[in-house]
Amino acid sequence: FRSKKYLNYLKENNLNGKLLHIGDNIIADVEFAEKYDIPTFYYLNSNELILKSSIRSLLSKSDTIFSKISIGLIKKRLFDDPFSLSDTKGIPQIRELKDIGYLVFGSIVTNFMIFFIKNIINKRIDLVLFPSRDGYLISKIYEKIRDKFYFLPKCVYFRASRRACQFMNIQDIDDIKEILNSDVSGDLHKSLEYKLNIKIPEDLKSREDINKFVLDRADIIINNSAEQRNYYIDYMKDLGILDRELNNIAIFDFVAKGSVQYYLSKILNINFCGYYFATMNLNEKWDKYEFAKSNINTLHGNITSYENTSEFSKNYLLMETILQDDKGTFFEIDKSKNIIFSSSRNSLEIECISKIQDGIIEFVEDFIELVNILNIGCDNDFCDDVLKYMKYCVKNDDLKVLTADDEYNGIDEYGIWSK
């Protein structure tokens, strides 16, 4: 467009001033054209739009390869429309669920995948395990990255839950007492019935009376546990997880204390290498603390339920829900090898999560097309800032259908979306 011949042609063919030169380059599209008396219309490009937006602070934090690529993808997605900030007071509007996945959560998931893939390679892992439900989306993304890096080990997505794995480890009265004596933040009756698969009379109020009732039925609980353990081992054999030629097996979890990994290692007699986004409420008072410290690696360290020191720790429940599949919590396997779930998700929530997941996957795919992720590092601080600024831009009431529950602690379903 800087060609004099081109501009002369435009000037000579400007029919009664009906020609308008439109562009986003102030020199080539405006100043140069005006020298030839050609009327112009200038619009802001993505670089200028982000500088005028509420997320401009992200630019000053993008000093790594990871952050620079992420900013480029965010700009392209968010400011592709030159009028995207019109009547918004500078606050970008993220309305589509797929865009929420791409812009709000894409970078933080990609950041983890870099950490995860590098560890899988460096530790020479033979097999990668993704337990339900939190491992669902990460397993799908892992498979897409594996298509690009063919030498990565295969993975298996399988059914597991803290409740099921703990129950299958009950072998004596001491194991039952450990459950009975554990802290419960919600309804005690609901929690113990769920953990032990036993109906407790509602008129039993004191912990002492409840414990006596349960311990009187210890043999039934222990026998049910043994039965479940055998069914589950057969299930894992069918998935090929118990292949003894696999010497180094990794297991993923999102935010957890390490209970699923610990109990699975006892059930299957396998010492797993754990890779999590973060551990939760991990402290030396927990009797499995040394196990967790020795066998779990995290990207975001340890977070607590009572101290939100980062955007990630504030939003981990929201992210956990978004990572999951469309099924409820795994409860048990029956003798016909049918999977039994203790809860279910409604269709609106499933649809919402699916669209957000599509956006996250698209971000990862776009990212790995631009750079070899094995050659760059992670950037937790940048991802935390993205989560903070981009979440504020979300304008979609559909997110109100997102819920979480904690049957393990006797806590009913509750909403988790808030700014």
Side-chain angles (χ1 to χ4, degrees):
F1 292 138
R2 297 174 190 272
S3 166
K4 291 182 179 180
K5 185 177 180 181
Y6 163 74
L7 290 168
N8 276 321
Y9 172 82
L10 293 181
K11 182 179 179 180
E12 292 169 1
N13 290 275
N14 185 7
L15 303 176
N16 296 322
K18 293 181 179 180
L19 184 67
L20 181 66
H21 196 274
I22 301 173
D24 65 354
N25 188 306
I26 194 67
I27 297 175
D29 297 324
V30 178
E31 294 177 1
F32 203 47
E34 287 177 348
K35 289 180 180 179
Y36 287 79
D37 300 321
I38 299 173
T40 62
F41 179 84
Y42 173 70
Y43 63 86
L44 299 178
N45 58 42
S46 60
N47 292 322
E48 293 165 314
L49 285 168
I50 194 172
L51 286 170
K52 292 182 177 293
S53 76
S54 61
I55 67 167
R56 57 185 174 275
S57 296
L58 289 176
L59 293 173
S60 63
K61 304 172 188 296
S62 57
D63 56 358
T64 63
I65 295 175
F66 176 89
S67 60
K68 290 179 186 298
I69 294 173
S70 296
I71 277 288
L73 293 174
I74 289 170
K75 283 194 300 184
K76 185 176 186 299
R77 184 72 162 227
L78 199 54
F79 301 117
D80 187 52
D81 178 359
F83 306 105
S84 57
L85 291 180
S86 298
D87 300 320
T88 68
K89 296 182 180 180
I91 302 173
Q93 309 289 291
I94 306 176
R95 300 185 183 279
E96 299 299 324
L97 290 170
K98 190 172 182 180
D99 289 338
I100 292 171
Y102 193 99
L103 295 165
V104 182
F105 303 106
S107 60
I108 197 167
V109 171
T110 304
N111 191 54
F112 175 79
M113 295 309 300
I114 293 171
F115 160 83
F116 188 57
I117 297 298
K118 285 186 173 182
N119 274 283
I120 295 301
I121 294 171
N122 292 338
K123 300 295 183 181
R124 301 190 177 188
I125 298 298
D126 300 315
L127 176 68
V128 183
L129 299 184
F130 293 99
S132 65
R133 296 180 290 174
D134 298 0
Y136 174 71
L137 180 61
I138 301 301
S139 70
K140 291 180 68 176
I141 293 173
Y142 178 83
E143 288 284 24
K144 289 185 176 296
I145 294 176
R146 189 166 173 256
D147 289 340
K148 192 175 185 69
F149 300 103
Y150 61 89
F151 51 83
L152 289 173
K154 71 174 185 177
C155 73
V156 177
Y157 179 70
F158 67 103
R159 294 294 163 188
S161 69
R162 176 171 45 162
R163 180 268 160 202
C165 293
Q166 184 181 44
F167 182 78
M168 288 183 286
N169 268 281
I170 296 175
Q171 301 190 44
D172 53 39
I173 287 180
D174 287 339
D175 292 331
I176 297 175
K177 287 181 177 179
E178 179 183 341
I179 294 173
L180 291 174
N181 295 329
S182 61
D183 293 332
V184 174
S185 54
D187 185 287
L188 181 62
H189 276 76
K190 287 182 179 180
S191 174
L192 292 179
E193 288 180 346
Y194 177 72
K195 292 173 183 175
L196 297 169
N197 198 15
I198 187 172
K199 184 65 178 176
I200 301 173
E202 292 183 7
D203 60 344
L204 295 180
K205 302 298 183 183
S206 72
R207 194 142 194 167
E208 182 180 355
D209 289 342
I210 292 172
N211 288 0
K212 183 179 185 306
F213 176 86
V214 170
L215 291 174
D216 285 345
R217 291 152 181 79
D219 289 343
I220 297 173
I221 295 170
I222 292 169
N223 289 335
N224 286 343
S225 170
E227 184 178 72
Q228 274 299 304
R229 189 163 55 249
N230 290 332
Y231 293 157
Y232 195 75
I233 288 172
D234 287 342
Y235 165 72
M236 298 298 263
K237 283 180 180 177
D238 291 343
L239 293 175
I241 293 174
L242 300 186
D243 184 346
R244 291 305 168 188
E245 293 184 3
L246 302 171
N247 298 315
N248 209 5
I249 301 178
I251 190 167
F252 164 82
D253 212 331
F254 177 55
V255 174
K257 218 170 188 178
S259 299
V260 169
Q261 180 178 339
Y262 172 78
Y263 291 124
L264 276 177
S265 69
K266 291 184 66 178
I267 295 170
L268 304 177
N269 194 27
I270 296 173
N271 188 33
F272 300 105
C273 299
Y275 297 100
Y276 301 7
F277 272 76
T279 50
M280 181 74 174
N281 294 334
L282 191 61
N283 59 68
E284 295 180 4
K285 295 180 181 179
W286 190 43
D287 60 349
K288 302 170 185 63
Y289 175 78
E290 290 303 324
F291 167 85
K293 293 294 289 183
S294 301
N295 296 284
I296 297 173
N297 306 276
T298 71
L299 178 60
H300 294 275
N302 181 64
I303 65 175
T304 64
S305 54
Y306 48 83
E307 183 181 2
N308 294 325
T309 57
S310 67
E311 290 301 314
F312 173 74
S313 63
K314 292 176 186 176
N315 291 282
Y316 83 91
L317 276 175
L318 175 62
M319 280 197 63
E320 183 177 60
T321 300
I322 288 168
L323 295 179
Q324 296 173 353
D325 64 20
D326 59 358
K327 300 293 190 294
T329 302
F330 168 65
F331 190 75
E332 63 183 13
I333 296 176
D334 66 18
K335 61 182 179 182
S336 300
K337 296 185 178 182
N338 296 311
I339 303 293
I340 309 299
F341 300 97
S342 62
S343 60
S344 60
R345 305 190 103 143
N346 67 68
S347 58
L348 290 176
E349 187 175 22
I350 290 171
E351 182 180 5
C352 176
I353 291 172
S354 177
K355 290 178 180 178
I356 294 172
Q357 289 180 350
D358 288 343
I360 295 172
I361 291 172
E362 185 179 346
F363 184 95
V364 176
E365 290 176 328
D366 288 348
F367 195 101
I368 63 178
E369 282 301 312
L370 296 172
V371 67
N372 183 338
I373 59 172
L374 303 182
N375 295 333
I376 65 172
C378 300
D379 194 336
N380 291 5
D381 291 339
F382 174 78
C383 291
D384 219 50
D385 286 323
V386 170
L387 189 55
K388 174 183 177 181
Y389 287 107
M390 302 308 290
K391 188 184 173 193
Y392 183 74
C393 299
V394 172
K395 307 292 181 185
N396 189 311
D397 289 337
D398 291 345
L399 294 170
K400 292 179 180 178
V401 304
L402 297 179
T403 61
D405 59 43
D406 188 357
E407 295 174 283
Y408 188 84
N409 279 302
I411 298 175
D412 294 331
E413 187 177 271
Y414 56 95
I416 55 173
W417 170 252
S418 68
K419 287 289 190 74

